[in-house]
Amino acid sequence: MKTITSILLLAMLSFVQLHREQHPAPAKPAAVLEDYFRQQMGLAADTLQQLQQAIRSHAPVAVLKRLFRSGRLAYKRAEFLTEYYYPHLIRSINGPALPFADGENSRDILPPQGFQVIEEKLWAPVISYKELLAAVTVLRTQFTTLQSQTDPYGFMDAYVFDAMRFEIYRIIALGISGYDSPIAFLSMPEAAAALEGLQRAAILYAGNLADSTIKHTLRARFREARQYLLQHPGFNEFDRLYFITTYADPLSASLLALQHALSLQLPHERRILSPEAPHLFAMQYYNANGYSPNHESDPTAVKVQLGQRLFYDPVLSGNLQRSCASCHQASKAFTDGMVRNTSLDGKLTIARNTPTLLNASFQSKQFYDSRAIFLENQVSDVVHNKHEMNGSLQQTAHALKKDSAYVRLFNKAFAAGRNSITEENIANALASFLRSLTSLQSRFDSYMNGDATALNATEKKGFNIFMGKGKCGTCHFAPLFNGVAPPYFAEPESEVLGVPESNRPHAKLDKDPGKYVLYRIPIHRYAFKIPTVRNSALTAPYMHNGVFPTLESVIDFYDKGGGAGLGIAPSNQTLPAGKLQLTPLEKKALTAFMQALTDTSSWKSAASY
């Protein structure tokens, strides 16, 4: 009997093994994506090899451009994985065609590499085949290295979803804006290719659900979004507002729904935009504390109250006559409305225009030259600046310890005791107040979150010009509209615009060296951090030196190509020198859109103490 049982058991096991061999279990999605990624890296490398051969044989330019486009599309189909798992390679694969030096880690100037460099050379009036070949050869090496990696790429399910949603954000802010195809304007077909890669990944994961509803919804939304992109390839004519609200944002929300359905969670980490945000424009999910030094530095209601009181108190200044609010007036969106304010002694003018403090918490660097990392550093810098406040946080702490009201507030806001009033706590209280000055509830924000009546036709057109023909969105990145780009919201962009010293005819280039003063790196000369254009209708005059009195005059400056259009551009101007050729109606629409970014509802309570 035992023998028969054993025989039957062996026979059953053999049948099961044979069935497994003939019908293996489907590979897990992450493993399938590893094969897909390797395939796309190989396809990009092979296409670039063909491009190398075509360059060597001096093939027609049309052939070179076709091969270039094919290589870019192969990259774009796997961009969500490359950008997420290999962020250190992105500048050399698809970074701007500009030299780079960060200054903090190294003062070396790195030459530009990658697709955008090739695009610039390939679309040039006269092609240097030698330079073009060298650029393609360097880029191909990147892809062959990624393809031939022997170790697993290490894709993990929850992070793949993070990468997919990041790619939606990237398409919106950097793709359809022309940021990474600034000359050939291949933005729409490349965005469609990026969505093709996302669709492949999303459908793989949706196949694990018993309920096929999410899978069918995703498939339909991806198909419709890609069709819209491919049917409307014209860069200037593309309706970005319609695409974002009709296709991109719903896709983002659907991917989040799929992630939840699969019970995939990311570990908690500090971010500017919460991973639970349904889409990029869900402004209530933005974290004003994302750039604070640590959790202990985060604002509390008591800290904010204390910081607001300090903000309006001249005790911080050396002559006890100037407060923070003297120059950052709430009635003027926390600016002063002046070209440049006067120094504390009234004898000089401050070096630069007073910027708004609204949404300063959404900048990873402070000041026009990006010299301060945290708002606490900014506070200390201003207080101790001899022309601005000529104060001392140490002396202020000594004075506040004699004020019983401040002693109570500090003890309540920080650890009670003799040492609650310190330089660090004063700076943190003020920084806490600044972090409370968020302004993300404009009419534009209402429109992007479902209120179809919030914008008129002119304002909608203005957004499309801002993100398209006007190229504003390639520096003022949506949706914060400052120089910190999604999806990582990391390093703020600085640009060399060629700003004149005055608004008079034939004015010379402004002499302020900008970011150059920090590290003495030549490419940083005349470079300034990109500010937000939110509430810009309230913050005139504009630029670091307050040279332009109106939004219209700023738009005219950009329309001419910045300093290049005025004949005063420095050799390192990073703003494209070509004229935008905006019509009067387009300029009017652009102004109307920026006015729609005004939000006074969020900070009126901070107008006094």
Side-chain angles (χ1 to χ4, degrees):
M1 189 71 177
K2 288 182 180 179
T3 303
I4 295 175
T5 301
S6 300
I7 292 172
L8 289 173
L9 181 59
L10 287 172
M12 185 178 295
L13 290 172
S14 298
F15 174 79
V16 170
Q17 181 63 30
L18 179 63
H19 180 79
R20 284 178 177 172
E21 292 174 357
Q22 294 177 346
H23 305 280
K28 292 182 178 181
V32 175
L33 287 177
E34 295 225 354
D35 291 338
Y36 172 74
F37 180 74
R38 192 181 304 277
Q39 176 190 42
Q40 292 304 127
M41 295 301 99
L43 182 58
D46 292 345
T47 307
L48 291 174
Q49 184 178 36
Q50 295 175 43
L51 180 55
Q52 286 176 303
Q53 295 168 351
I55 294 169
R56 291 189 183 102
S57 63
H58 283 222
V61 174
V63 173
L64 303 182
K65 289 181 177 180
R66 176 178 57 79
L67 290 170
F68 170 81
R69 285 192 290 265
S70 296
R72 284 267 300 192
L73 292 176
Y75 166 70
K76 283 289 179 177
R77 283 190 285 267
E79 181 181 49
F80 72 107
L81 295 168
T82 314
E83 287 264 359
Y84 194 87
Y85 282 93
Y86 298 93
H88 60 289
L89 297 180
I90 298 310
R91 183 169 292 278
S92 59
I93 291 177
N94 194 34
L98 294 167
F100 173 79
D102 71 354
E104 293 180 25
N105 301 305
S106 171
R107 298 189 182 185
D108 294 339
I109 299 176
L110 305 178
Q113 298 178 9
F115 278 117
Q116 292 194 45
V117 172
I118 297 170
E119 179 179 322
E120 188 175 84
K121 296 181 182 300
L122 193 50
W123 266 260
V126 179
I127 295 178
S128 169
Y129 284 83
K130 181 179 180 180
E131 292 179 3
L132 184 60
L133 179 61
V136 174
T137 301
V138 170
L139 179 59
R140 180 173 177 265
T141 302
Q142 300 275 20
F143 288 110
T144 54
T145 301
L146 288 171
Q147 179 200 20
S148 60
Q149 179 175 315
T150 55
D151 294 331
Y153 294 111
F155 301 159
M156 299 173 65
D157 296 335
Y159 294 104
V160 168
F161 272 86
D162 206 28
M164 286 194 285
R165 299 187 67 234
F166 274 16
E167 185 65 14
I168 298 289
Y169 302 163
R170 189 177 293 108
I171 288 170
I172 293 170
L174 305 178
I176 60 176
S177 70
Y179 177 84
D180 58 1
S181 184
I183 299 174
F185 297 122
L186 304 173
S187 307
M188 310 319 154
E190 289 182 358
L195 289 181
E196 180 184 343
L198 295 186
Q199 178 177 351
R200 178 183 290 264
I203 297 305
L204 275 173
Y205 281 98
N208 291 335
L209 296 176
D211 185 354
S212 61
T213 303
I214 293 179
K215 180 177 180 179
H216 292 320
T217 299
L218 274 169
R219 195 187 298 275
R221 285 183 170 168
F222 273 115
R223 181 182 65 251
E224 292 164 1
R226 294 187 66 246
Q227 285 177 349
Y228 187 83
L229 287 162
L230 294 173
Q231 291 170 2
H232 301 85
F235 184 81
N236 288 349
E237 300 78 20
F238 188 74
D239 191 338
R240 291 160 177 81
L241 192 63
Y242 179 79
F243 172 77
I244 293 169
T245 55
T246 306
Y247 301 113
D249 284 355
L251 266 175
S252 176
S254 292
L255 288 172
L256 183 62
L258 175 58
Q259 180 182 338
H260 287 166
L262 294 169
S263 300
L264 297 175
Q265 289 187 335
L266 289 164
H268 178 74
E269 61 182 30
R270 210 166 178 79
R271 290 188 179 186
I272 292 299
L273 178 58
S274 167
E276 290 300 308
H279 55 78
L280 183 63
F281 294 87
M283 307 313 293
Q284 67 272 31
Y285 287 87
Y286 281 79
N287 177 18
N289 306 325
Y291 296 128
S292 66
N294 48 54
H295 289 293
E296 290 71 27
S297 302
D298 287 353
T300 63
V302 182
K303 279 188 188 181
V304 171
Q305 181 188 13
L306 171 58
Q308 184 171 353
R309 177 166 180 163
L310 288 166
F311 187 84
Y312 287 94
D313 195 332
V315 69
L316 291 163
S317 63
N319 63 2
L320 303 180
Q321 294 180 15
R322 174 176 282 184
S323 71
C324 304
S326 299
C327 298
H328 295 281
Q329 301 164 26
S331 61
K332 296 175 181 175
F334 291 92
T335 67
D336 55 21
M338 302 174 66
V339 173
R340 288 181 296 167
N341 211 318
T342 56
S343 60
L344 188 69
D345 60 10
K347 297 178 181 179
L348 302 171
T349 57
I350 301 299
R352 293 168 182 162
N353 174 261
T354 302
T356 181
L357 297 177
L358 296 174
N359 296 325
S361 59
F362 295 116
Q363 294 270 20
S364 56
K365 297 285 179 67
Q366 305 299 327
F367 294 111
Y368 285 109
D369 54 20
S370 302
R371 66 181 182 270
I373 297 177
F374 301 117
L375 284 169
E376 285 82 355
N377 303 135
Q378 182 190 41
V379 166
S380 180
D381 189 296
V382 172
V383 169
H384 293 95
N385 186 295
K386 65 178 182 179
H387 297 302
E388 296 184 28
M389 298 191 79
N390 196 29
S392 163
L393 289 179
Q394 183 180 33
Q395 293 176 11
T396 299
H398 182 71
L400 294 180
K401 289 176 181 178
K402 300 176 183 178
D403 187 314
S404 59
Y406 270 119
V407 170
R408 285 194 298 272
L409 279 171
F410 272 93
N411 284 342
K412 191 175 181 182
F414 301 96
R418 293 179 58 189
N419 295 322
S420 65
I421 301 181
T422 65
E423 297 176 51
E424 292 76 14
N425 288 349
I426 293 171
N428 180 235
L430 278 160
S432 295
F433 173 62
L434 299 182
R435 291 187 179 104
S436 75
L437 298 178
T438 59
S439 180
L440 303 173
Q441 298 178 35
S442 66
R443 287 191 294 109
F444 170 78
D445 300 306
S446 296
Y447 183 89
M448 299 304 288
N449 286 278
D451 183 356
T453 66
L455 296 179
N456 61 38
T458 301
E459 292 161 345
K460 294 176 186 177
K461 180 179 180 179
F463 173 81
N464 283 323
I465 294 168
F466 188 97
M467 295 292 289
K469 182 180 179 180
K471 300 183 181 179
C472 315
T474 61
C475 292
H476 300 275
F477 303 106
L480 294 175
F481 297 106
N482 62 17
V484 185
Y488 296 113
F489 300 98
E491 187 73 13
E493 296 267 334
S494 293
E495 294 287 342
V496 180
L497 305 176
V499 175
E501 63 181 4
S502 76
N503 200 26
R504 295 188 301 270
H506 312 298
K508 295 181 180 180
L509 179 70
D510 188 84
K511 296 178 181 178
D512 190 328
K515 196 174 178 179
Y516 177 76
V517 299
L518 297 183
Y519 306 111
R520 305 290 174 178
I521 300 174
I523 62 172
H524 288 172
R525 191 183 293 275
Y526 309 119
F528 295 91
K529 186 186 70 174
I530 303 298
T532 182
V533 297
R534 283 181 174 271
N535 293 301
S536 57
L538 307 176
T539 60
Y542 305 99
M543 302 298 182
H544 68 274
N545 58 354
V547 66
F548 296 124
T550 64
L551 285 173
E552 289 80 3
S553 58
V554 175
I555 292 171
D556 285 340
F557 172 72
Y558 283 111
D559 188 42
K560 294 172 183 174
L566 301 179
I568 61 172
S571 59
N572 62 326
Q573 177 172 312
T574 56
L575 180 74
K579 291 178 171 57
L580 297 174
Q581 298 181 330
L582 298 174
T583 68
L585 287 178
E586 288 171 335
K587 292 180 181 180
K588 181 180 179 181
L590 195 50
T591 302
F593 163 66
M594 287 190 280
Q595 290 170 340
L597 289 173
T598 301
D599 166 30
T600 60
S601 63
S602 306
W603 45 271
K604 282 299 184 182
S605 62
S608 62
Y609 185 82

